[in-house]
């Protein structure tokens, strides 16, 4: 059962979003996330917003990664920088259903 976290941001700085997402990808994957991906909505209510998607193999791994990222100094600096050009607009967690 995969755990997927979706985090939405508003930002008019595409170069900064991409640069920052690449750095976040290295941090999250180092701590055990299966992947971190960046997308941009082109239609619908969230058009223009950015979506960061991270995936974890289980709740246990999700918890370990969240704990490790919370203690990671490089991520703390990256998050502080991100808040200077992007606004967090939403976060959701979805749990995969094995069928």
């Amino acid at each position: 059962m995969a755990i997927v976290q979706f985090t939405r941001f508003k930002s008019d700085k595409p170069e900064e979003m991409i640069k920052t997402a690449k750095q976040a990808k290295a941090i999250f994957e180092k701590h055990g996330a299966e992947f971190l991906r960046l997308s941009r909505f082109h239609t619908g209510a969230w058009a223009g917003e950015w979506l960061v998607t991270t995936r974890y193999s289980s709740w246990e791994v999700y918890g370990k990664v969240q704990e490790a990222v919370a203690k990671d100094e490089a991520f703390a600096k990256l998050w502080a920088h991100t808040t200077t050009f992007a606004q967090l607009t939403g976060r959701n967690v979805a749990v995969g259903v094995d069928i």
Side-chain angles (χ1 to χ4, degrees), residues 4-22:
V4 183
Q5 181 172 282
F6 303 96
T7 307
R8 292 189 333 273
F9 294 92
K10 282 186 182 179
S11 177
D12 60 356
K13 306 275 189 226
E15 297 83 12
E16 281 297 315
M17 284 299 299
I18 294 166
K19 178 182 167 188
T20 301
K22 285 179 181 180

Side-chain angles (χ1 to χ4, degrees), residues 7 21 25 29 34-39 51-55:
T7 307
K25 176 181 176 66
E29 290 178 358
E34 291 180 358
F35 64 72
L36 182 148
R37 293 192 177 131
L38 178 67
S39 305
L51 179 67
V52 174
T53 305
T54 52
R55 185 171 131 162

Side-chain angles (χ1 to χ4, degrees), residues 2 7-9 13 21 26-27 31 36 42 44 48 53-54 56-57 66 68 73-74 83 96 99:
T7 307
R8 292 189 333 273
F9 294 92
K13 306 275 189 226
I27 293 168
H31 290 301
L36 182 148
H42 285 269
T53 305
T54 52
Y56 312 87
S57 60
Q66 295 303 310
E73 289 183 32
T83 62
I99 55 172

Side-chain angles (χ1 to χ4, degrees), residues 19-89:
K19 178 182 167 188
T20 301
K22 285 179 181 180
Q23 294 171 348
K25 176 181 176 66
I27 293 168
F28 275 79
E29 290 178 358
K30 172 183 78 171
H31 290 301
E34 291 180 358
F35 64 72
L36 182 148
R37 293 192 177 131
L38 178 67
S39 305
R40 192 161 194 192
F41 290 99
H42 285 269
T43 61
W46 300 324
E49 290 192 26
W50 296 88
L51 179 67
V52 174
T53 305
T54 52
R55 185 171 131 162
Y56 312 87
S57 60
S58 66
W59 278 115
E60 181 182 4
V61 173
Y62 175 82
K64 287 180 180 179
V65 173
Q66 295 303 310
E67 186 175 337
V69 168
K71 296 175 182 176
D72 190 301
E73 289 183 32
F75 183 75
K77 290 178 185 176
L78 186 62
W79 181 252
H81 174 66
T82 302
T83 62
T84 67
F85 66 86
Q87 175 190 2
L88 178 82
T89 58

